[in-house]
Amino acid sequence: MYKFILIIACFLACGASFAQNSGKADTHAADTTKAKTPAINQLKTVSIEAKKSFVEHRADKTIINVENSLVASGGTALEVLEKAPGVSIDRQNEQIKLNNKSGIMVMIDGKTNALSGADITAMLSNMSSDQIASIELITNPSAKYDAAGNAGIINIKLKRNKSFGTNGTLSLNTGQGIMPNAPSDLYRLGLQLTLNHRVNKWNVFSTTAFNRKVGYNTINVARTTLTSNLASAFDQNFDRNNTGFAYMGKVGADYYASEKTIFGVMIDANAIYNNLNNYSSTIINETRELLNTQNLVNQQAYSKSPIRNLTANFNIRHEFKKQGSNLTVDVDYSGFSNNKDEKFDAQYTNDASELDKTTALMNNTKANIDVYAAKTDFVFPISKTLKLEAGLKSSYVLTNNDFISSEFKGGAWQNDKGKSNNFIYKENINALYTSFSKDWEKWKIQVGLRAEHTHSNGNSITAQKQVDRNYLSLFPTVFINQSLTKNHNIRYSYSRRVDRPNYQQLNPFVFYMDPFAVDEGNPYLKPQFTDNLEIGYSYKEVSFSLNYADTRDMITQISQQNDSTRIINVIRKNLGRAQNYSANVYVPTTIAKFWKMYTNLSLYFNKFDDNNLEGAAFTANKVAYNLNSTHSITLPKDFAFEVNFWLNSPRINGVEETTITQYALNAGLQKSMMDKKLKIRVGIDDIFLTNRWEGKLAYQNVNLQVVNRYLSRRASFTVNYNFGNQNVKSARNRNTATEDLKNRAN
């Protein structure tokens, strides 16, 4: 990120100098021309406007330009990611995958949010796409980045104003979900105001946003159990209605103490409030000694889960006399709280349609996370073709999870001490890195090494169980770029990455989901390490790449079924080895002067092996593919039209297999007015309601099939208005120190 800022700063400085000199030259030329030929009318202004492609492929990253996309307008950040090439959203397991690999580090403006799993997707579902300028997909990050994220980094860059003086952007969006047999209350609403004030040595900026979101999905789960004298077939149906709203506020200031030194402070606060109503109906067909019976369990579940986050950052940037040499320092604090109150009311009906019993359970979870971090980065160009980068980082994380489970008995709520627990997790990571880059006429090489020392302690107070780990890991990176000709380029890259378990996965709590399903943490879960190799070729804007990833101790979700109790337990474990082979091709095509098409096709082969998974050897492999195509059409009268189509084939992930092809067609229309300061957009996602998930688990004694239909079709309306001076660059974007840590909080 700092290299990007430095390049932009140099570009602006050169541009300003060029503009100043050009202005003098133009004035002199104009005076000369005027003296010789006074009758000639002079051209006062030349305005050249170039619209960025929806997808840009660069040597080290792929950029999704959300700001100019019509099909992305009025949606959420999660829905935008679903349209990005190579990205898939696993809504069944609440995972984001890149090139069919899980283990993504999600960053926002260079800092990682402290949520993971269902909570990170909930946060992205509450973030309006109108807040986003672009999304960076980085499959092989350099040593400068934290080593977390075996599949790479997704960096969401929010919009920032670009002017001196006072300016801002006001955005309003609303949308209505369209789904058969669903509740009528499926509308969303978003409002955002961004302000920037730049004068003399000060730049002050702020962003406030409010979003109201709603989700609805129906899930059908079919599974069987078998013992010596009882065979059971479960048919479970869930109706889940999730409503919520989110507030977001950011305020900061940059002080330009001199031409070389900048001080900055920033405070970022978020609050998300989710309410979930979940009704489930479980039909149990039992066969015992040729006698067939049918039982029924109906459950009504309620959940409230406010999530709050406060991040404070202090930073310094100093540029030395040697051009391109700079030092940056960041000190951060992030505090998170995630409190969840759940209630489960169940009724059991026998084969004679008689009520056997009722149960009432209640879970209260209080999770608090404190993250302290500091880092410094140093860039020093040794010569015009040789550059050194180095840095240090230290972080400390303290999490406190208090889980209380109660059951209503004898007319009062009683604490279930066998389920309640208190879990405290502490983690300290100290890291240092260095990298050298060298340029030749046709070759560019960057070699780096990052070392991270980790000391962690997970302490289950109630169970009196501790897991203490202390280890050092090395993460080398190599990047080679070869320019064959002006338009032909080859790049080679290697990196080693790590995914540490998130804090919730390590928590040994047993979470109740329904009478026959629980979710359990695993304090013995180990980190997974991945070696990534990539070879890429590009011709002008066309690109092709081959990738290989080898992951050891892959963190995956396992379902354990107890046939005697008929309860299924969802737990995270380490799977021996996962290999991913992929080929990716990106082709932009100009069909007509007004019509451009951008197509990305990816082909994958995934292979999973474990010598002893749940008591037996496990192996699975499958070929899969992903297609993403966007058509951008410019129409007269400042109208624009865009169509996007994406498709994901059946695929596997560990023991889980997706059994259907997922695809969706999206469209958007825009009208620009008031010298393009006002933009009105309308759009619709998943026009034909084809985006759903179906999958199965079939290993050992587990035989389970799932159909998940969720709210994917939605009409949207968006208004964007830019006001104030929109010409000159303002405040800088910057990283903070709490990068890899935040994504693991839950």
Side-chain angles (χ1 to χ4, degrees), residues 144-157:
K144 183 174 182 177
Y145 291 95
D146 294 289
N150 78 294
I153 294 172
I154 295 179
N155 183 28
I156 300 174
K157 301 180 71 172

mmCIF file with all atom_site columns, all heavy atoms in Angstrom, residues 144-157:
data_model
loop_
_atom_site.group_PDB
_atom_site.id
_atom_site.type_symbol
_atom_site.label_atom_id
_atom_site.label_alt_id
_atom_site.label_comp_id
_atom_site.label_asym_id
_atom_site.label_entity_id
_atom_site.label_seq_id
_atom_site.pdbx_PDB_ins_code
_atom_site.Cartn_x
_atom_site.Cartn_y
_atom_site.Cartn_z
_atom_site.occupancy
_atom_site.B_iso_or_equiv
_atom_site.pdbx_formal_charge
_atom_site.auth_seq_id
_atom_site.auth_comp_id
_atom_site.auth_asym_id
_atom_site.auth_atom_id
_atom_site.pdbx_PDB_model_num
ATOM 1   N N   . LYS A 1 144 ? 6.156   -7.894  2.548  1.00 0.00 ? 144 LYS A N   1
ATOM 2   C CA  . LYS A 1 144 ? 5.722   -6.722  3.306  1.00 0.00 ? 144 LYS A CA  1
ATOM 3   C C   . LYS A 1 144 ? 4.390   -6.978  4.007  1.00 0.00 ? 144 LYS A C   1
ATOM 4   O O   . LYS A 1 144 ? 4.115   -6.427  5.073  1.00 0.00 ? 144 LYS A O   1
ATOM 5   C CB  . LYS A 1 144 ? 5.610   -5.534  2.366  1.00 0.00 ? 144 LYS A CB  1
ATOM 6   C CG  . LYS A 1 144 ? 5.240   -4.229  3.052  1.00 0.00 ? 144 LYS A CG  1
ATOM 7   C CD  . LYS A 1 144 ? 5.284   -3.073  2.069  1.00 0.00 ? 144 LYS A CD  1
ATOM 8   C CE  . LYS A 1 144 ? 4.975   -1.761  2.755  1.00 0.00 ? 144 LYS A CE  1
ATOM 9   N NZ  . LYS A 1 144 ? 5.085   -0.610  1.834  1.00 0.00 ? 144 LYS A NZ  1
ATOM 10  N N   . TYR A 1 145 ? 3.554   -7.816  3.398  1.00 0.00 ? 145 TYR A N   1
ATOM 11  C CA  . TYR A 1 145 ? 2.247   -8.115  3.980  1.00 0.00 ? 145 TYR A CA  1
ATOM 12  C C   . TYR A 1 145 ? 2.389   -9.191  5.057  1.00 0.00 ? 145 TYR A C   1
ATOM 13  O O   . TYR A 1 145 ? 3.292   -10.027 5.019  1.00 0.00 ? 145 TYR A O   1
ATOM 14  C CB  . TYR A 1 145 ? 1.276   -8.600  2.910  1.00 0.00 ? 145 TYR A CB  1
ATOM 15  C CG  . TYR A 1 145 ? 0.863   -7.543  1.913  1.00 0.00 ? 145 TYR A CG  1
ATOM 16  C CD1 . TYR A 1 145 ? 1.536   -7.411  0.701  1.00 0.00 ? 145 TYR A CD1 1
ATOM 17  C CD2 . TYR A 1 145 ? -0.203  -6.701  2.170  1.00 0.00 ? 145 TYR A CD2 1
ATOM 18  C CE1 . TYR A 1 145 ? 1.154   -6.454  -0.234 1.00 0.00 ? 145 TYR A CE1 1
ATOM 19  C CE2 . TYR A 1 145 ? -0.599  -5.742  1.249  1.00 0.00 ? 145 TYR A CE2 1
ATOM 20  C CZ  . TYR A 1 145 ? 0.086   -5.623  0.053  1.00 0.00 ? 145 TYR A CZ  1
ATOM 21  O OH  . TYR A 1 145 ? -0.289  -4.679  -0.859 1.00 0.00 ? 145 TYR A OH  1
ATOM 22  N N   . ASP A 1 146 ? 1.431   -9.196  6.000  1.00 0.00 ? 146 ASP A N   1
ATOM 23  C CA  . ASP A 1 146 ? 1.376   -10.271 6.974  1.00 0.00 ? 146 ASP A CA  1
ATOM 24  C C   . ASP A 1 146 ? 1.203   -11.596 6.249  1.00 0.00 ? 146 ASP A C   1
ATOM 25  O O   . ASP A 1 146 ? 0.566   -11.668 5.195  1.00 0.00 ? 146 ASP A O   1
ATOM 26  C CB  . ASP A 1 146 ? 0.219   -10.052 7.945  1.00 0.00 ? 146 ASP A CB  1
ATOM 27  C CG  . ASP A 1 146 ? 0.435   -8.833  8.813  1.00 0.00 ? 146 ASP A CG  1
ATOM 28  O OD1 . ASP A 1 146 ? 1.309   -8.888  9.691  1.00 0.00 ? 146 ASP A OD1 1
ATOM 29  O OD2 . ASP A 1 146 ? -0.247  -7.820  8.595  1.00 0.00 ? 146 ASP A OD2 1
ATOM 30  N N   . ALA A 1 147 ? 1.754   -12.662 6.837  1.00 0.00 ? 147 ALA A N   1
ATOM 31  C CA  . ALA A 1 147 ? 1.769   -13.962 6.164  1.00 0.00 ? 147 ALA A CA  1
ATOM 32  C C   . ALA A 1 147 ? 0.418   -14.661 6.210  1.00 0.00 ? 147 ALA A C   1
ATOM 33  O O   . ALA A 1 147 ? 0.263   -15.727 5.610  1.00 0.00 ? 147 ALA A O   1
ATOM 34  C CB  . ALA A 1 147 ? 2.835   -14.854 6.795  1.00 0.00 ? 147 ALA A CB  1
ATOM 35  N N   . ALA A 1 148 ? -0.558  -14.096 6.887  1.00 0.00 ? 148 ALA A N   1
ATOM 36  C CA  . ALA A 1 148 ? -1.865  -14.736 7.006  1.00 0.00 ? 148 ALA A CA  1
ATOM 37  C C   . ALA A 1 148 ? -2.617  -14.707 5.680  1.00 0.00 ? 148 ALA A C   1
ATOM 38  O O   . ALA A 1 148 ? -2.475  -13.772 4.888  1.00 0.00 ? 148 ALA A O   1
ATOM 39  C CB  . ALA A 1 148 ? -2.697  -14.037 8.086  1.00 0.00 ? 148 ALA A CB  1
ATOM 40  N N   . GLY A 1 149 ? -3.413  -15.746 5.449  1.00 0.00 ? 149 GLY A N   1
ATOM 41  C CA  . GLY A 1 149 ? -4.231  -15.835 4.247  1.00 0.00 ? 149 GLY A CA  1
ATOM 42  C C   . GLY A 1 149 ? -3.588  -16.705 3.195  1.00 0.00 ? 149 GLY A C   1
ATOM 43  O O   . GLY A 1 149 ? -2.881  -16.220 2.325  1.00 0.00 ? 149 GLY A O   1
ATOM 44  N N   . ASN A 1 150 ? -3.831  -18.040 3.261  1.00 0.00 ? 150 ASN A N   1
ATOM 45  C CA  . ASN A 1 150 ? -3.132  -18.941 2.342  1.00 0.00 ? 150 ASN A CA  1
ATOM 46  C C   . ASN A 1 150 ? -3.610  -18.767 0.908  1.00 0.00 ? 150 ASN A C   1
ATOM 47  O O   . ASN A 1 150 ? -2.867  -19.026 -0.044 1.00 0.00 ? 150 ASN A O   1
ATOM 48  C CB  . ASN A 1 150 ? -3.320  -20.398 2.775  1.00 0.00 ? 150 ASN A CB  1
ATOM 49  C CG  . ASN A 1 150 ? -4.677  -20.947 2.398  1.00 0.00 ? 150 ASN A CG  1
ATOM 50  O OD1 . ASN A 1 150 ? -5.689  -20.497 2.912  1.00 0.00 ? 150 ASN A OD1 1
ATOM 51  N ND2 . ASN A 1 150 ? -4.701  -21.916 1.505  1.00 0.00 ? 150 ASN A ND2 1
ATOM 52  N N   . ALA A 1 151 ? -4.850  -18.308 0.701  1.00 0.00 ? 151 ALA A N   1
ATOM 53  C CA  . ALA A 1 151 ? -5.365  -18.106 -0.652 1.00 0.00 ? 151 ALA A CA  1
ATOM 54  C C   . ALA A 1 151 ? -5.086  -16.700 -1.159 1.00 0.00 ? 151 ALA A C   1
ATOM 55  O O   . ALA A 1 151 ? -5.321  -16.403 -2.323 1.00 0.00 ? 151 ALA A O   1
ATOM 56  C CB  . ALA A 1 151 ? -6.868  -18.385 -0.697 1.00 0.00 ? 151 ALA A CB  1
ATOM 57  N N   . GLY A 1 152 ? -4.580  -15.822 -0.284 1.00 0.00 ? 152 GLY A N   1
ATOM 58  C CA  . GLY A 1 152 ? -4.267  -14.469 -0.701 1.00 0.00 ? 152 GLY A CA  1
ATOM 59  C C   . GLY A 1 152 ? -5.041  -13.427 0.086  1.00 0.00 ? 152 GLY A C   1
ATOM 60  O O   . GLY A 1 152 ? -5.600  -13.700 1.149  1.00 0.00 ? 152 GLY A O   1
ATOM 61  N N   . ILE A 1 153 ? -5.081  -12.222 -0.468 1.00 0.00 ? 153 ILE A N   1
ATOM 62  C CA  . ILE A 1 153 ? -5.678  -11.070 0.205  1.00 0.00 ? 153 ILE A CA  1
ATOM 63  C C   . ILE A 1 153 ? -6.747  -10.445 -0.681 1.00 0.00 ? 153 ILE A C   1
ATOM 64  O O   . ILE A 1 153 ? -6.557  -10.301 -1.885 1.00 0.00 ? 153 ILE A O   1
ATOM 65  C CB  . ILE A 1 153 ? -4.602  -10.011 0.529  1.00 0.00 ? 153 ILE A CB  1
ATOM 66  C CG1 . ILE A 1 153 ? -3.607  -10.559 1.566  1.00 0.00 ? 153 ILE A CG1 1
ATOM 67  C CG2 . ILE A 1 153 ? -5.217  -8.710  1.033  1.00 0.00 ? 153 ILE A CG2 1
ATOM 68  C CD1 . ILE A 1 153 ? -2.419  -9.655  1.802  1.00 0.00 ? 153 ILE A CD1 1
ATOM 69  N N   . ILE A 1 154 ? -7.880  -10.104 -0.077 1.00 0.00 ? 154 ILE A N   1
ATOM 70  C CA  . ILE A 1 154 ? -8.890  -9.274  -0.724 1.00 0.00 ? 154 ILE A CA  1
ATOM 71  C C   . ILE A 1 154 ? -8.915  -7.939  0.019  1.00 0.00 ? 154 ILE A C   1
ATOM 72  O O   . ILE A 1 154 ? -9.276  -7.880  1.194  1.00 0.00 ? 154 ILE A O   1
ATOM 73  C CB  . ILE A 1 154 ? -10.276 -9.934  -0.695 1.00 0.00 ? 154 ILE A CB  1
ATOM 74  C CG1 . ILE A 1 154 ? -10.269 -11.219 -1.531 1.00 0.00 ? 154 ILE A CG1 1
ATOM 75  C CG2 . ILE A 1 154 ? -11.347 -8.978  -1.216 1.00 0.00 ? 154 ILE A CG2 1
ATOM 76  C CD1 . ILE A 1 154 ? -11.603 -11.959 -1.535 1.00 0.00 ? 154 ILE A CD1 1
ATOM 77  N N   . ASN A 1 155 ? -8.484  -6.883  -0.664 1.00 0.00 ? 155 ASN A N   1
ATOM 78  C CA  . ASN A 1 155 ? -8.425  -5.556  -0.054 1.00 0.00 ? 155 ASN A CA  1
ATOM 79  C C   . ASN A 1 155 ? -9.524  -4.678  -0.639 1.00 0.00 ? 155 ASN A C   1
ATOM 80  O O   . ASN A 1 155 ? -9.531  -4.377  -1.830 1.00 0.00 ? 155 ASN A O   1
ATOM 81  C CB  . ASN A 1 155 ? -7.059  -4.913  -0.306 1.00 0.00 ? 155 ASN A CB  1
ATOM 82  C CG  . ASN A 1 155 ? -6.929  -3.556  0.378  1.00 0.00 ? 155 ASN A CG  1
ATOM 83  O OD1 . ASN A 1 155 ? -7.564  -3.305  1.399  1.00 0.00 ? 155 ASN A OD1 1
ATOM 84  N ND2 . ASN A 1 155 ? -6.124  -2.678  -0.185 1.00 0.00 ? 155 ASN A ND2 1
ATOM 85  N N   . ILE A 1 156 ? -10.479 -4.285  0.200  1.00 0.00 ? 156 ILE A N   1
ATOM 86  C CA  . ILE A 1 156 ? -11.592 -3.437  -0.212 1.00 0.00 ? 156 ILE A CA  1
ATOM 87  C C   . ILE A 1 156 ? -11.224 -1.985  0.079  1.00 0.00 ? 156 ILE A C   1
ATOM 88  O O   . ILE A 1 156 ? -11.039 -1.603  1.239  1.00 0.00 ? 156 ILE A O   1
ATOM 89  C CB  . ILE A 1 156 ? -12.881 -3.821  0.533  1.00 0.00 ? 156 ILE A CB  1
ATOM 90  C CG1 . ILE A 1 156 ? -13.247 -5.283  0.234  1.00 0.00 ? 156 ILE A CG1 1
ATOM 91  C CG2 . ILE A 1 156 ? -14.032 -2.904  0.149  1.00 0.00 ? 156 ILE A CG2 1
ATOM 92  C CD1 . ILE A 1 156 ? -14.416 -5.802  1.043  1.00 0.00 ? 156 ILE A CD1 1
ATOM 93  N N   . LYS A 1 157 ? -11.095 -1.184  -0.978 1.00 0.00 ? 157 LYS A N   1
ATOM 94  C CA  . LYS A 1 157 ? -10.710 0.212   -0.829 1.00 0.00 ? 157 LYS A CA  1
ATOM 95  C C   . LYS A 1 157 ? -11.956 1.089   -0.897 1.00 0.00 ? 157 LYS A C   1
ATOM 96  O O   . LYS A 1 157 ? -12.663 1.098   -1.905 1.00 0.00 ? 157 LYS A O   1
ATOM 97  C CB  . LYS A 1 157 ? -9.701  0.601   -1.910 1.00 0.00 ? 157 LYS A CB  1
ATOM 98  C CG  . LYS A 1 157 ? -8.428  -0.243  -1.870 1.00 0.00 ? 157 LYS A CG  1
ATOM 99  C CD  . LYS A 1 157 ? -7.451  0.154   -2.956 1.00 0.00 ? 157 LYS A CD  1
ATOM 100 C CE  . LYS A 1 157 ? -6.824  1.492   -2.667 1.00 0.00 ? 157 LYS A CE  1
ATOM 101 N NZ  . LYS A 1 157 ? -5.734  1.818   -3.622 1.00 0.00 ? 157 LYS A NZ  1
#
